Amino acid sequence: MAEIVMECKNLWKTYGKIIAVKDVSFQIREGEIKLVFGPSGSGKSTFLRCLAMLTIPDKGDVYLRDQCLTKPSVDLNKARAKIGFVFQHIWLFRHLTALGNVELSLRRVLKMPKDEAREKAMEALRLVKMEDWAKHYPAQMSGGQQQRVGIARALARNPNIILLDEPTSALDPELTGEVIDTLRDLARMGTTMLIVSHEMPFAREVADEMIFYDEGAIVETGPPELFFTNPESERAKKFMARLIKKTKRE
Amino acid sequence: MDLVQQLLYMLQGISTTLLISIFSFLLGLTIGLPLAFIRTYERGFAVFVDAFEKVFRGIPELVLMLLFYRGVGLFLAFPFGDAFFTATFVLGLRSAANQSQIFKGAIRGVGEEQMVAARSLGLSRLQSILRVMIPQVFIFSTPGLGSEYALLVKDSSYAFVIGVPVIMEQADRIRKATYDPVIPYIVAAILYILLTFPLATWLDTWGSRKKKQLGL
Ligand SMILES: Nc1ncnc2c1ncn2[C@@H]1O[C@H](COP(=O)(O)OP(=O)(O)O)[C@@H](O)[C@H]1O
Ligand SMILES: [Mg+2]
């Protein structure tokens, strides 16, 4: 079996009375694509942020390959450089062009020389089919184009894994397709990805495993087929039924 | 006092006013910008930053100037014995308190999300501030910075109480020499408008255009 890329053990994160991550253990191997879904407010974003150590968990351990990120002595900046993160609301740097957005970490984190960084950034933009937009600012692009640049920004450093938090849910429905196409390309290239998404046809097509997340915990995991035919838990059953109905309506 | 001499007086007034305004603006920027970030990201220092702002925004600059010049100057021969230095220093600190407020608002306007996105790439906090926050914070701050500069030009006129040859002081000297109680002050008024208005307006326009272009 392929090597474990990212893992967490008994992870907890609470906000006052709200338990966003409740004793969650999880692992993902090289080349795997896992898809997290579940009701809004259940803690999916918090879970992803904890894995990237953008939010520091209260308890539990996160591992990136062999390195334990929850040990106080780790250099979190170095660790985050090896994790790509794509945000629901994209959050491109608005004062930088598409190229500037993708280049930034190559220049300032990996300390690549200018020419090399530019070449690498252009390569990433080509991958998401945004190379013609390299000199444009985010405000000049559509939401779908912005998110593709967001994906290029996350993958330019060749991270070990990319975490994507609802990459299409803030976009107009007619713009989700282009982003999904990009994700499909990444999947074909064997990129290790943990994706929060409710794009069910896409999930069925690319996910090795689906994870139903509710009330801060992983309720059920399994191959997509399980969820589309006969999920075990009542909660997953109900949620899937609602999702499928909604997808049909669209 | 002939006309040429009056003209030379006013030229000196203009250059002194500009020097005090520019230096105190830069002093305010050098202190105010870091203060705003410290206030935002290091909650522990909030009390000190707030106290600094309260003191320098609360006490009239006239009082501050006399206090530093006479009071502190009595014990410290230099630098506070020097009127130009004292005026620049006092206005600079007051401007730091104002600019800290301006930048704090701008940091909030740029949004925590930009910081999170920067950190997600592996940039350190300082790198994120320098590369991602500050360029946007400046664009957000342009109207405030324009008004702050105009305020400094105007308030530098207070330096006349400690004898700094700002436009106000020079106008007063000309009045005394020529016994003309009106014209020198009218000239001073016009000069103050000319020194503040164009730059503040230009900054404002540039900022609005940039904001629109970048969707800030
Ligand atoms: N920074 C925060 N401060 C306080 N509460 C938060 C914070 N982030 C998330 N929460 C709360 O934690 C819960 C889970 O949020 P989130 O992880 O965003 O869920 P999801 O992504 O599944 O919609 C929500 O109730 C939310 O209000
Ligand atoms: Mg979320």
Side-chain angles (χ1 to χ4, degrees):
Chain A
M1 235 196 281
E3 191 191 344
I4 294 172
V5 174
M6 186 171 249
E7 184 171 16
C8 72
K9 290 179 185 161
N10 307 101
L11 209 60
W12 286 80
K13 179 71 198 178
T14 56
Y15 293 108
K17 283 206 181 86
I18 298 166
I19 308 177
V21 183
K22 186 167 146 188
D23 201 32
V24 171
S25 299
F26 157 88
Q27 49 175 250
I28 183 166
R29 293 173 184 274
E30 183 94 53
E32 273 186 327
I33 297 175
K34 295 201 174 187
L35 194 130
V36 179
F37 71 108
S40 111
S42 58
K44 305 178 297 297
S45 296
T46 309
F47 171 50
L48 252 67
R49 277 167 173 248
C50 283
L51 289 179
M53 295 297 279
L54 287 171
T55 294
I56 306 301
D58 301 334
K59 256 194 294 183
D61 288 317
V62 176
Y63 295 86
L64 180 65
R65 296 204 191 273
D66 297 330
Q67 191 183 21
C68 177
L69 304 187
T70 30
K71 265 205 322 242
S73 59
V74 270
D75 181 343
L76 280 182
N77 297 326
K78 280 218 178 86
R80 290 196 196 103
K82 295 185 224 158
I83 303 170
F85 206 105
V86 174
F87 300 94
Q88 178 176 10
H89 297 286
I90 310 173
W91 296 349
L92 289 183
F93 306 127
R94 293 162 294 192
H95 63 302
L96 297 177
T97 59
L99 184 64
N101 268 275
V102 180
E103 249 180 354
L104 185 63
S105 70
L106 302 177
R107 296 271 287 133
R108 305 298 160 194
V109 179
L110 302 192
K111 315 271 184 207
M112 279 185 192
K114 213 178 164 94
D115 294 340
E116 194 187 335
R118 177 138 306 188
E119 207 169 295
K120 200 100 177 70
M122 282 309 289
E123 200 181 295
L125 284 173
R126 246 192 311 278
L127 201 83
V128 301
K129 304 199 170 65
M130 283 298 287
E131 72 269 33
D132 294 339
W133 291 77
K135 292 276 187 288
H136 288 75
Y137 289 94
Q140 301 167 304
M141 305 172 201
S142 74
Q145 291 173 322
Q146 288 186 30
Q147 191 58 294
R148 278 145 66 198
V149 173
I151 293 170
R153 178 175 72 175
L155 63 77
R157 312 186 292 290
N158 292 331
N160 294 341
I161 180 170
I162 304 185
L163 310 175
L164 301 100
D165 188 7
E166 307 209 39
T168 60
S169 67
L171 303 176
D172 294 334
E174 68 270 22
L175 298 177
T176 56
E178 55 187 86
V179 175
I180 295 287
D181 285 342
T182 301
L183 296 181
R184 242 186 230 118
D185 289 341
L186 295 192
R188 259 197 295 278
M189 290 163 47
T191 316
T192 311
M193 291 190 276
L194 178 63
I195 312 175
V196 177
S197 174
H198 297 98
E199 298 284 338
M200 285 302 142
F202 168 69
R204 198 167 194 166
E205 181 188 328
V206 303
D208 296 298
E209 181 180 81
M210 283 174 65
I211 298 170
F212 179 60
Y213 195 100
D214 194 14
E215 294 180 354
I218 293 179
V219 176
E220 187 173 350
T221 64
E225 279 325 302
L226 168 80
F227 285 100
F228 284 100
T229 52
N230 191 22
E232 265 168 43
S233 63
E234 248 349 273
R235 275 189 283 173
K237 233 177 233 160
K238 275 206 184 112
F239 191 77
M240 280 306 288
R242 248 191 301 145
L243 260 185
I244 289 167
K245 216 172 9 177
K246 193 166 147 258
T247 314
K248 275 202 187 122
R249 235 184 299 129
E250 280 162 7
Chain B
M1 193 186 257
D2 61 27
L3 211 59
V4 176
Q5 225 176 341
Q6 291 181 31
L7 196 69
L8 287 175
Y9 258 64
M10 273 307 173
L11 280 178
Q12 195 197 358
I14 292 171
S15 74
T16 312
T17 295
L18 274 180
L19 285 175
I20 293 187
S21 311
I22 291 169
F23 283 142
S24 56
F25 185 86
L26 292 178
L27 180 63
L29 178 68
T30 324
I31 300 173
L33 187 60
L35 274 189
F37 279 101
I38 291 170
R39 178 69 178 74
T40 308
Y41 295 120
E42 292 291 343
R43 291 294 141 122
F45 289 97
V47 191
F48 301 106
V49 178
D50 291 350
F52 173 82
E53 283 178 9
K54 290 261 153 47
V55 167
F56 279 92
R57 286 160 61 90
I59 304 175
E61 30 292 305
L62 209 52
V63 176
L64 281 175
M65 251 177 234
L66 288 169
L67 192 70
F68 273 80
Y69 188 59
R70 298 265 167 69
V72 186
L74 280 182
F75 305 102
L76 290 168
F78 189 84
F80 294 111
D82 184 75
F84 176 84
F85 182 92
T86 308
T88 309
F89 185 78
V90 164
L91 288 176
L93 288 187
R94 205 278 314 266
S95 188
N98 283 348
Q99 292 194 43
S100 166
Q101 293 248 323
I102 295 169
F103 290 131
K104 252 187 319 196
I107 293 170
R108 222 174 304 123
V110 170
E112 188 54 25
E113 302 83 19
Q114 292 281 307
M115 195 71 187
V116 174
R119 300 305 300 276
S120 81
L121 299 175
L123 291 167
S124 70
R125 187 151 73 161
L126 185 63
Q127 280 180 315
S128 306
I129 288 175
L130 292 176
R131 303 271 165 199
V132 172
M133 296 304 285
I134 286 182
Q136 299 184 71
V137 161
F138 267 115
I139 296 169
F140 254 92
S141 310
T142 44
L145 291 180
S147 326
E148 178 58 22
Y149 167 78
L151 192 67
L152 283 171
V153 172
K154 279 192 289 178
D155 285 358
S156 67
S157 64
Y158 288 126
F160 109 109
V161 297
I162 52 176
V164 184
V166 287
I167 293 170
M168 177 62 202
E169 166 76 9
Q170 303 299 76
D172 204 49
R173 285 182 193 167
I174 293 170
R175 176 190 60 83
K176 281 181 189 143
T178 60
Y179 302 106
D180 185 333
V182 180
I183 301 293
Y185 293 134
I186 291 182
V187 172
I190 293 170
L191 285 176
Y192 277 113
I193 287 189
L194 286 180
L195 290 185
T196 55
F197 189 65
L199 187 73
T201 314
W202 176 81
L203 252 178
D204 210 4
T205 327
W206 181 85
S208 314
R209 215 184 39 231
K210 204 77 190 159
K211 254 191 244 175
K212 208 148 143 214
Q213 184 199 348
L214 300 179
L216 277 165

